[in-house]
Structures are given as C-alpha cells and as structure tokens.
Amino acid sequence: IAGVELNDKCNLIDTNCNLLSKQWFDCIYNFNKNGIAIVELNDKYNLIDVNGKLISRQWFDDIDDFDENGLAKVELNNKLNFIDVNGKLVYKQWLDYISSFKNSFARVELNRKWNLIRTDGNFLSKQWFDWISVFKNGFAQVKLNNKYGYIDKTGKEVIPCIFDGITYNNQMFYVKFRGKYGCINQLG
C-alpha cells in the first residue's frame, strides 16, 4: 500500500496502482498495527482499513486511535463515545467526558454526574455520583451529596456515602464522621 496525492487530496493505491478508496481525503494518517488509519475530510474524521474501506458510516469532529481494548474514542458535537473495530458505537449515550481505560474501567461524566464504564458498554453502577475515583486496590472512592464512600468492582457500595472524609490504606478505611475519626476494615 502506498499513499498518493492529487490536487491536495490523498488516497491509497495497491501494488498494481489501483485506488483503494473511491473517496479522496484531505489527509490519511499512518496505519496502526491493526491495519487501520485515521482519515480527515473537511475537518471531520473517520477510520479506514488497508482495503480502503471506511470503518464507520459516521464522520466525527475528532477521533483517537484504537486502544488496547479495541476501542477508539470519538467526539461529535462536544460529546464523547467509543467505537469498536467495526465502527459500531459502544455506548448508547454520548458522554461529556471519558477517561482512558485503566484496569478495564474508564471514568465518565454526564450532566455533571460521574460513573465508571466497562469496555463491554455497561456502566458499573446504576447510581451516578458527584465524583468518582479510579480503582485502587479493588475500590473506588465516590462522593454523593457532599459525603464520601467506596464501591467495589461490581458496583456494590462497600462503604456508604455518609462520611465527611475517607481514605483507604493497608486494608483499612479511615473515616471522618461528624468531626470524629475512625477505622473500618474491608468487611465494613
């Protein structure tokens, strides 16, 4: 495969000099290890495979390369989502913020509320929080109504959001409640 340019537009050709795509682009970026490249046309972005086929029917305002989970973050109208290698949107809902995945979870924000999402497209918890951390030692700190607690990787609340402050260290939760301090073990 080789890139060609004509009248400030780009395309790809095979070893017989046949065009791989009917569409000409403003830019074709480098192919990744999976044989997919980001393409740009009129300030919109998509992905193309080595056969010149567009991955998605939708063009986006911005697009990232695929991550180790096989997902590419996309932006459209200031909202975020992921697409899979087939160009299918992963989440039904467009989000305000999506972090990178860490330990199979990403932090997301929608309408000033936070949750965690899995790579399979499901939210970790039915509850949306005022804030949520990433997982550390199997627990994520959450804030709801100005009170803190912790959830586990199943979304179960292991420490309820009733504390004025809370940290986790050495298998213990250190809490502040009504001006007093205490400890709670992992079992609650």
Side-chain angles (χ1 to χ4, degrees):
I1 296 175
V4 293
E5 187 175 333
L6 179 65
N7 299 325
D8 293 327
K9 295 291 181 184
C10 302
N11 207 326
L12 300 168
I13 56 172
D14 62 19
T15 54
N16 296 318
C17 293
N18 296 312
L19 290 175
L20 293 182
S21 176
K22 295 177 184 175
Q23 178 71 57
W24 286 79
F25 305 100
D26 295 332
C27 187
I28 300 173
Y29 296 88
N30 292 334
F31 280 90
N32 65 20
K33 64 183 178 184
N34 300 317
I36 296 174
I38 296 171
V39 293
E40 181 180 354
L41 180 63
N42 301 324
D43 294 323
K44 296 289 183 179
Y45 298 87
N46 206 327
L47 297 162
I48 192 171
D49 66 18
V50 293
N51 298 312
K53 181 182 175 199
L54 289 173
I55 301 295
S56 176
R57 292 183 205 163
Q58 175 71 53
W59 285 80
F60 303 99
D61 298 332
D62 198 9
I63 194 165
D64 291 344
D65 199 359
F66 285 97
D67 63 17
E68 67 275 0
N69 300 299
L71 303 175
K73 189 186 300 185
V74 294
E75 180 179 343
L76 185 63
N77 300 323
N78 295 316
K79 296 287 185 177
L80 300 168
N81 208 321
F82 281 99
I83 58 172
D84 63 20
V85 292
N86 299 311
K88 181 181 174 207
L89 288 173
V90 175
Y91 304 107
K92 296 174 187 168
Q93 201 163 19
W94 286 82
L95 302 161
D96 297 326
Y97 172 83
I98 302 175
S99 72
S100 298
F101 279 94
K102 184 175 181 180
N103 300 321
S104 301
F105 293 97
R107 295 174 61 232
V108 297
E109 181 185 14
L110 179 64
N111 299 325
R112 301 178 76 162
K113 294 291 183 178
W114 292 84
N115 207 331
L116 291 165
I117 53 172
R118 298 182 186 101
T119 56
D120 65 6
N122 291 310
F123 292 104
L124 175 66
S125 175
K126 292 180 183 177
Q127 174 68 55
W128 284 75
F129 301 95
D130 299 333
W131 176 84
I132 193 166
S133 72
V134 295
F135 279 104
K136 184 177 178 184
N137 299 319
F139 301 103
Q141 189 180 86
V142 293
K143 179 181 178 184
L144 185 62
N145 300 323
N146 228 19
K147 300 292 180 179
Y148 295 89
Y150 274 88
I151 60 173
D152 65 15
K153 288 188 175 185
T154 68
K156 178 184 171 204
E157 186 179 72
V158 292
I159 301 293
C161 290
I162 60 171
F163 297 99
D164 302 318
I166 190 169
T167 59
Y168 177 77
N169 193 14
N170 296 325
Q171 300 181 347
M172 293 292 287
F173 296 97
Y174 299 92
V175 299
K176 179 181 179 185
F177 184 71
R178 296 184 184 161
K180 298 189 183 219
Y181 296 88
C183 300
I184 303 171
N185 68 21
Q186 282 181 238
L187 302 176

